[in-house]
Amino acid sequence: MAPSPDPAAESVILREWTRGATSSDEAFEQLYREYGPVVHVWLRVRAGDTTADDLFQDVWAIFCRRWREWEPQAGADPADARPVLSFLFRTCHLVLLAHRRIAKARDFRPIDEAPDPAVDGHAAAMAHVQLGECLSAARHCCSDEEMAIVSAKLAGVPAREIARTLHITEAVVDHGFRNAVARIRERLSPPRRRRTR
Amino acid sequence: MTEHEIEIAIARELTGATADHKGPRHTVKGAREVMEAAAPERTSRVALLAELEDLRLTFQDLRHALASPEAKTAGVTGRWTALDVVAHLASWAVETRREMERLLARIPFDYAIHFEAEGGPRAWNQREVDDRAELGLSELVDELNTETERLVDLVLNAPAAALEEVVELPRTSGEPPQRWRMPLGAMVLGSCWHARLHLRRLVGERRI
């Protein structure tokens, strides 16, 4: 199974739109269908379900406005085969930062960012099964930046764009990715048994 | 599990979570609804802050794109060099922040910037660029960053109703001159659009 999303889809959508085979609105709808799920997952792994739904609207509203200014060729970075995916990753990150800044200024925490009550075993269990074992482990042992790196790299966002968005170097992106994966592996390893004589 | 297997597993879980998202738990809007919600007058505070931060990322790109003397002095418009355009952006960053401050404090404007049918407020723009003629790239980018951060603080602390309120700007066009009216949030969004319009030509290789 290939990591989502389909690497070729964006270039096909942009090519068809550029040559006039699809309208701007149709191309937007196709991009929304293609990347809506991955945008939602990016937000979920870093912000939780309830907040992700709200921020999802903001990310796509921003992209929708930007899409109306999008020029088919001029300004494209030749090294970036999927400029829309890169743009969406950056926008997710900035929207998350904005949300956190507002929350900090208002001094409130969204309900799904609040710690689970100690007695609520069901909520804790649900948090664990939300995204599967590996992603769940990642959420426990990775920093927010590492989660951004891991989820973006595995979705195909170029390291250069990840680095620019997070204000780090490409080397730090690679190092962070390796570190995070190693830590997730360690967390998923079965506990070592103590030797007994 | 090897580290490569971990990578494949996470990728599969992303795919699985994606598939789940497409299923019955999918609670987000359809594409058409998103397009309707993207109207400038309906922009949320989160989106405004994200747009302003995106500009700040691009200001950093300016330092690299215009590092050489040739890049700084390259003609971008018929009358302005690349550095003049950065000065122009700085002048509008200051003006936008000042307007926002006065509008939030409900202080009336005692001036107006008149936009001609073509070329915008040419005299005002040129005067502002001339005022910054002695400044280098670093100082201009610092000014852009500082003013945008101040605008971020204003957006962050403005009452929600104020961002949606239709306001009258100290900008006019037409004959006789008519004041521009728009929601405050849309004014901030328009300022981001104007900056991107110029930044695209200065740091062209990026999607902005």
Side-chain angles (χ1 to χ4, degrees), chain A residues 79-174:
Chain A
D80 187 355
R82 292 196 276 175
V84 173
L85 184 68
S86 292
F87 178 85
L88 289 169
F89 167 69
R90 184 169 84 235
T91 305
C92 279
H93 179 70
L94 297 175
V95 159
L96 273 164
L97 292 188
H99 165 74
R100 288 172 189 163
R101 195 164 179 177
I102 292 168
K104 192 176 172 190
R106 300 285 179 277
D107 197 25
F108 75 85
R109 280 197 288 182
I111 191 74
D112 59 346
E113 282 182 17
D116 297 322
V119 292
D120 190 354
H122 176 68
M126 286 303 290
H128 274 278
V129 298
Q130 269 175 0
L131 291 175
E133 197 181 358
C134 283
L135 279 178
S136 187
R139 290 171 94 176
H140 277 91
C141 65
C142 295
S143 66
D144 181 57
E145 183 176 275
E146 286 169 335
M147 282 306 295
I149 292 171
V150 169
S151 56
K153 275 207 79 159
L154 292 176
V157 178
R160 182 182 173 199
E161 183 58 36
I162 300 171
R164 176 176 179 261
T165 299
L166 302 178
H167 297 285
I168 54 180
T169 64
E170 287 185 48
V172 172
V173 171
D174 289 336

Side-chain angles (χ1 to χ4, degrees), chain A residues 32-114:
Chain A
Y32 184 79
R33 273 199 299 276
E34 183 61 28
Y35 289 145
V38 76
V39 164
H40 202 252
V41 169
W42 280 340
L43 295 169
R44 281 172 67 194
V45 297
R46 296 178 67 193
D49 279 359
T50 313
T51 307
D53 279 353
D54 291 339
L55 300 184
F56 183 89
Q57 315 298 332
D58 288 312
V59 170
W60 284 96
I62 290 171
F63 176 64
C64 184
R65 285 191 292 272
R66 205 64 60 87
W67 177 244
R68 289 169 189 152
E69 303 167 18
W70 207 273
E71 292 170 19
Q73 296 294 333
D77 181 347
D80 187 355
R82 292 196 276 175
V84 173
L85 184 68
S86 292
F87 178 85
L88 289 169
F89 167 69
R90 184 169 84 235
T91 305
C92 279
H93 179 70
L94 297 175
V95 159
L96 273 164
L97 292 188
H99 165 74
R100 288 172 189 163
R101 195 164 179 177
I102 292 168
K104 192 176 172 190
R106 300 285 179 277
D107 197 25
F108 75 85
R109 280 197 288 182
I111 191 74
D112 59 346
E113 282 182 17

Side-chain angles (χ1 to χ4, degrees), chain B residues 119-148:
Chain B
R122 286 174 185 270
W124 187 91
N125 280 341
Q126 191 59 52
R127 193 167 58 247
E128 291 289 324
V129 168
D130 291 344
D131 284 349
R132 289 169 173 79
E134 301 300 315
L135 301 182
L137 177 67
S138 181
E139 291 154 306
L140 291 170
V141 172
D142 286 348
E143 187 176 21
L144 279 170
N145 271 321
T146 303
E147 291 300 332
T148 306

